[in-house]
Amino acid sequence: MSVYVTVGSTGFDRLIQTVSGKAFLQALSSQGFRRLVVQYGTSAHKFEPPTTRSDTHGISIESFDYTSRPSQLIEQADLIISHAGTGSILEALHSGTPIIIVVNRELMDDHQSEIAHELASSGYVAVAEPATLVDAVARNVYMGLVPYPAADPRPIGEIIDEETL
């Protein structure tokens, strides 16, 4: 089983530091995960995974700053751990893959928290912070999430007419 971690087009030092730690890798291993793919953006300096097999708990680790194939990585994942950027969240939701959104409270207006908690209140996502992510994985908070509804394929003009007429 595979986990894909993404910080999108920026960085998220505390998330990247957490997912490269022994405790996180142990939590993944205890849930049956064997592969970790990390897109760390500008947080490369915080990505310091252990190097021995015993310290990685048998997890194979791949990492990079940016990718031209995020959709492919999302489709291959059994779990997505993402920053709370809207683009990353929507792409993950539309894939049907369980997602844990990790909120970055260090941003100036903490705007990510609102969307994350709204989606969590509907059961579409699980929410964590860097300090609670290891526990969230260990407790399987991503199990039993509600599938996100498929997009309405009708043209936007038709939908607006229907709502306003």
Side-chain angles (χ1 to χ4, degrees):
M1 292 194 335
S2 176
V3 176
Y4 175 52
V5 176
T6 180
V7 299
S9 62
T10 61
F12 189 169
D13 290 354
R14 290 183 59 220
L15 173 58
I16 295 305
Q17 193 168 16
T18 298
V19 302
S20 62
K22 291 179 192 178
F24 179 76
L25 296 170
Q26 182 176 17
L28 287 182
S29 180
S30 73
Q31 301 307 316
F33 291 101
R34 296 292 172 251
R35 180 175 178 235
L36 173 63
V37 180
V38 179
Q39 181 265 317
Y40 49 69
T42 60
S43 294
H45 61 287
K46 293 295 183 178
F47 187 69
E48 299 176 353
T51 55
T52 66
R53 183 163 174 76
S54 64
D55 286 344
T56 63
H57 298 276
I59 305 281
S60 76
I61 303 170
E62 301 168 40
S63 63
F64 46 85
D65 54 0
Y66 300 102
T67 181
S68 60
R69 57 186 183 97
S71 297
Q72 180 182 357
L73 294 167
I74 287 170
E75 292 300 326
Q76 293 172 349
D78 298 291
L79 172 64
I80 298 165
I81 297 174
S82 177
H83 72 122
T86 306
S88 296
I89 292 171
L90 288 175
E91 192 164 11
L93 286 171
H94 289 299
S95 76
T97 304
I99 179 172
I100 299 174
I101 297 174
V102 182
V103 176
N104 187 352
R105 294 199 182 273
E106 294 174 2
L107 297 177
M108 283 191 336
D109 59 1
D110 193 23
H111 66 278
Q112 293 184 343
S113 183
E114 187 176 343
I115 190 168
H117 289 290
E118 182 62 31
L119 289 166
S121 72
S122 298
Y124 299 131
V125 304
V127 176
E129 294 185 21
T132 63
L133 182 58
V134 171
D135 183 58
V137 170
R139 290 185 302 111
N140 294 322
V141 298
Y142 51 89
M143 299 298 285
L145 294 173
V146 176
Y148 191 70
D152 190 335
R154 296 179 296 161
I156 189 70
E158 186 180 325
I159 295 169
I160 292 171
D161 287 346
E162 181 181 295
E163 295 297 320
T164 59
L165 297 178

